[in-house]
Amino acid sequence: MFLTNKTTTKLSKISQDKDYLLLGEMHGVKENALLVEELVDKITSIKTVGFEYPNEIESALNQSPPPKKELLDYSPVQTMLKDGRFSQTHMDVISRLVKKGIKIICFDPKISSTDWNERDKGMAKIVMSYRKKLNKNTKILLICGNMHSRIDEFDLDSSTEKGKNYHYRPFGSYLKNQINIKFNYLSGQFYNFGLKKFPTDPEPHKNQLQKNNKQWLLNIKIANPTRIDNYKKRPRH
């Protein structure tokens, strides 16, 4: 368990009348998946969980158990193992959620364009279309990369793949009536095309959950990286 009783009570209260609980993550952390599971267990109105996964693997993930070999042979899943979106921990958590009757949705659209704005718009279209089918008293928990989860449009700086002078409208900006939470790891490591470290935050945090403008920060002491060792594709015989 990662969430204190105080945090759980606060999250239940502020999300009570919301359609979406949107989580921003740094890919490649085991706790990302475990926190999703804990939130589902503690906020009972969450009946659907969405991952930043290719839409075409959605049916496989909703099987109990999911077809592990079939998934691992799929090229986009191999990519997600490398960028940290997927791991054994994620597979285990998703299996347990499905057994509990939670619907899994995958909202990374299959589009020909490499434009980030087109991709994020497509992500939002999938999620909003699914939301229309749900009872108004239930909510969707969504988890995606920190950049996609941001609420406001912004200009990307030159350190990103797109470079400067690119105006970006993230996925999170399309979703109305949401609670927006960023997983804020204070130390530890993550796996994103290689093992990397979080900068250690020396400042004490009085509250595990704190407001930061339009977003909430969920402060987690340490991050443990996902691993891909057991998922490297074996040569076919």
Side-chain angles (χ1 to χ4, degrees), residues 111-132:
I111 58 175
S112 57
S113 173
T114 59
D115 184 77
W116 289 7
N117 282 323
E118 286 300 312
R119 179 181 177 224
D120 282 54
K121 184 178 180 180
M123 290 163 65
K125 185 176 180 181
I126 290 171
V127 169
M128 291 187 295
S129 175
Y130 194 83
R131 170 71 247 185
K132 292 177 181 178

Side-chain angles (χ1 to χ4, degrees), residues 4 32 66 88 115 157 194 205 220:
T4 65
N32 292 339
Q88 179 66 58
D115 184 77
D157 62 39
H205 291 270
I220 306 297

Side-chain angles (χ1 to χ4, degrees), residues 36 96 190 222:
V36 165
R96 292 194 293 268
F190 61 99
I222 189 166

Side-chain angles (χ1 to χ4, degrees), residues 184-187 199-208 210 217-222:
N184 186 38
Y185 291 104
L186 306 179
S187 64
T200 301
D201 187 342
E203 296 295 324
H205 291 270
K206 183 178 179 181
N207 297 310
Q208 186 182 46
Q210 64 186 68
L217 296 180
L218 182 60
N219 298 309
I220 306 297
K221 289 183 179 180
I222 189 166

Side-chain angles (χ1 to χ4, degrees), residues 51-191:
F51 291 89
E52 188 191 339
Y53 294 169
N55 188 241
E56 56 264 37
I57 69 170
E58 182 175 295
S59 60
L61 290 179
N62 279 284
Q63 295 179 36
S64 184
K68 181 176 177 180
K69 185 179 183 304
E70 176 185 325
L71 285 167
L72 295 179
D73 282 343
Y74 187 52
S75 177
V77 172
Q78 288 288 316
T79 299
M80 293 195 301
L81 290 168
K82 295 172 185 176
D83 70 23
R85 280 181 286 166
F86 195 69
S87 69
Q88 179 66 58
T89 304
H90 289 79
M91 178 87 82
D92 293 344
V93 165
I94 289 170
S95 295
R96 292 194 293 268
L97 291 176
V98 170
K99 285 182 179 179
K100 295 174 184 176
I102 300 299
K103 168 71 176 179
I104 304 299
I105 62 172
C106 301
F107 56 88
D108 192 353
K110 188 174 184 179
I111 58 175
S112 57
S113 173
T114 59
D115 184 77
W116 289 7
N117 282 323
E118 286 300 312
R119 179 181 177 224
D120 282 54
K121 184 178 180 180
M123 290 163 65
K125 185 176 180 181
I126 290 171
V127 169
M128 291 187 295
S129 175
Y130 194 83
R131 170 71 247 185
K132 292 177 181 178
K133 305 173 186 177
L134 298 179
N135 185 299
K136 66 178 182 179
N137 295 320
T138 66
K139 58 179 56 63
I140 302 178
L141 183 150
L142 304 161
I143 185 164
C144 59
N146 286 323
M147 189 173 290
H148 300 293
S149 71
R150 289 173 62 168
I151 297 173
D152 295 324
E153 300 178 40
F154 60 97
D155 293 321
L156 294 173
D157 62 39
S158 57
S159 66
T160 65
E161 179 183 334
K162 289 294 181 184
K164 58 184 178 180
N165 301 322
Y166 183 81
H167 187 73
Y168 178 48
R169 183 177 181 186
F171 164 65
S173 70
Y174 290 92
L175 305 181
K176 309 304 179 186
N177 200 30
Q178 63 166 282
I179 289 293
N180 191 290
I181 299 172
K182 177 183 178 181
F183 290 164
N184 186 38
Y185 291 104
L186 306 179
S187 64
Q189 298 175 306
F190 61 99
Y191 192 95

